[in-house]
Amino acid sequence: MPPRATPTQVVIVGPGAVGCLFAAALHRAGTSVALLDKDPVRARHLNESGLRIDPPPGGAPLCAFVPVSANPAELPRPAFLVLCVKAYDTGAAMRHARGLVAPETTVVSLQNGLGNAEQIRQILVSPALLCAVTGHGVTQLESGRVVHAGNGETYVAAGPDTPPGAADRFAALLEAAGFAARVRDDCTGMLWSKAVVNAAINPVTALNDIPNGAILEHAHLRDTAFAAAGEAAAVARARGIRLAYPDAAAEVERVCRQTAGNVSSMLQDVRRGRQTEIDAINGAVVRAADGAGIPVPTNRMLLRRLRERPAP
Ligand code: KPL
C-alpha cells in the first residue's frame, strides 16, 4: 500500500476578510486549515455559524466550516502559519501564535504594509519566513461574512530566511485552492510594489468614502492617487528597489478597475471606527522618503489627514 499522504496543515491567524477568504478556499480544496482568532467569543461564533464568501454577482457563495480557536494549544503546529492581521497587530498576533511555530513551520506574512517581517523577527528568533501579498478585493460584512468583490493575483516571495522550496509549496496550495499565485524572487520589490498601490488607493478611498473604482471618476482624486503612487515609486527607486511594473500610475489605474466595486481595507476600517494601516503604508513611505531626502508632499498630506481623524 502506498504511504498515506500527510495532510498539509495551514493555520491562518486573523479571521478578517482576507483570512476568511483564504481559509474557506483552502478548506474547499481539501487542505487541512484552521483559524486562530484573538477573540474567544468571536471564535465560538465562527465555529457555530461557519464562513460565507459571496463572490461577485452571478457566482455561488462559498460556505465552509473551518475550525476556529482563540487558544493556540487547541490547534496543530502547521506547515504554514499565515498571518492575515492588520500591520499594527503583527507583534501581538505573533506573540499569541508563537507556540504554533514548530521547527518545520514556515511563517507567512500575507499582509498589507511595510515592516511586518521586521516585527515578526523581533518576536521569533531566526524564523523561516515567507512574504506574500494579494490583490483580491474583499469586504467584511460581519464576522465570517465576506464579499469577494474583485479578483487579483497573489504573489509569494522568499526572503533571506525562507527554507528552500517553501515559496513554491505555498503557491501550489494557493493555486490548488483556485487563487492565481506567482512566486517572485524579490521580496522587498514585491512588498513595495503592493505598498505603492495601497499608498494611493487606500487613503483616497478612505477619506472620500468611495469604492476603489470611483477614484477614476473624479479628476482631482485620480490626480491625488497618481501623485501618491508616483512619489512612493520614486522613493522605492531611490532606494534601489525594483517595482514589478514600469508605471505606478498605470498600475493604480489597473487595480482600481480590477477591484472597482471593492471597499478598500482602509475605508472598511474607517467605516467601522477602527485604527487604519496608514502608518504601515503612507507612514512607511514618508519615513523612507525622509531617509532618502525625497519630497513626498501628497503622502505626507494623506498621512496627516488620516491621522487627524478622531481616535476610534
Ligand atoms: O489591497 C487592497 C486593500 O484594500 O487593502 C486593494 C488591492 C486596494 C483592494 O481594495
Side-chain angles (χ1 to χ4, degrees):
M1 246 185 26
R4 271 223 325 228
T6 26
T8 303
Q9 300 275 10
V10 176
V11 171
I12 294 182
V13 184
V18 170
C20 287
L21 171 71
F22 280 85
L26 286 164
H27 182 267
R28 178 181 53 185
T31 297
S32 158
V33 57
L35 276 159
L36 178 66
D37 194 354
K38 63 180 175 189
D39 176 350
V41 175
R42 185 173 54 190
R44 204 171 320 117
H45 164 77
L46 289 173
N47 271 315
E48 282 161 12
S49 53
L51 310 179
R52 180 186 162 116
I53 315 296
D54 282 307
L62 164 59
C63 297
F65 281 89
V66 174
V68 190
S69 177
N71 179 2
E74 288 177 2
L75 298 176
R77 297 169 98 198
F80 293 102
L81 181 78
V82 187
L83 258 65
C84 290
V85 297
K86 298 288 181 186
Y88 51 79
D89 270 340
T90 300
M94 199 60 255
R95 274 190 290 278
H96 184 209
R98 75 194 310 168
L100 289 171
V101 181
E104 58 281 7
T105 302
T106 298
V107 177
V108 185
S109 163
L110 176 54
Q111 300 173 272
N112 270 345
L114 298 167
N116 291 304
E118 291 74 5
Q119 290 192 66
I120 293 168
R121 285 195 200 100
Q122 278 176 12
I123 290 154
L124 301 178
V125 184
S126 41
L129 189 58
L130 197 57
C131 288
V133 295
T134 187
H136 283 277
V138 275
T139 306
Q140 188 165 31
L141 301 178
E142 54 183 278
S143 295
R145 300 282 175 278
V146 172
V147 175
H148 186 191
N151 275 312
E153 297 79 30
T154 300
Y155 295 104
V156 179
D161 33 19
T162 310
D168 289 316
R169 281 196 298 279
F170 187 63
L173 278 182
L174 298 185
E175 284 275 342
F179 297 105
R182 313 259 172 280
V183 175
R184 283 271 160 86
D185 57 5
D186 172 10
C187 193
T188 309
M190 179 192 78
L191 293 174
W192 269 83
S193 297
K194 179 83 198 303
V196 165
V197 170
N198 286 133
I201 296 179
N202 292 24
V204 173
T205 52
L207 288 167
N208 296 284
D209 198 29
I210 50 170
N212 297 353
I215 290 181
L216 304 177
E217 292 162 17
H218 306 277
H220 67 292
L221 300 183
R222 198 190 51 213
D223 291 351
T224 304
F226 287 1
E231 292 173 8
V235 176
R237 270 196 301 276
R239 293 172 57 115
I241 295 166
R242 255 187 314 129
L243 297 179
Y245 38 78
D247 181 342
E251 179 64 8
V252 168
E253 183 167 346
R254 189 187 70 77
V255 175
C256 282
R257 288 195 201 290
Q258 200 171 29
T259 63
N262 194 52
V263 175
S264 76
S265 53
M266 195 172 286
L267 175 52
Q268 292 181 51
D269 290 337
V270 166
R271 283 184 178 170
R272 291 205 185 129
R274 289 199 318 212
Q275 188 177 344
T276 73
E277 294 184 302
I278 194 73
D279 277 307
I281 301 175
N282 303 74
V285 169
V286 168
R287 287 190 293 278
D290 287 345
I294 298 198
V296 287
T298 308
N299 279 274
R300 224 177 270 287
M301 176 273 291
L302 293 169
L303 177 63
R304 180 177 47 73
R305 288 192 54 200
L306 258 301
R307 276 186 181 158
E308 275 169 1
R309 289 171 48 245

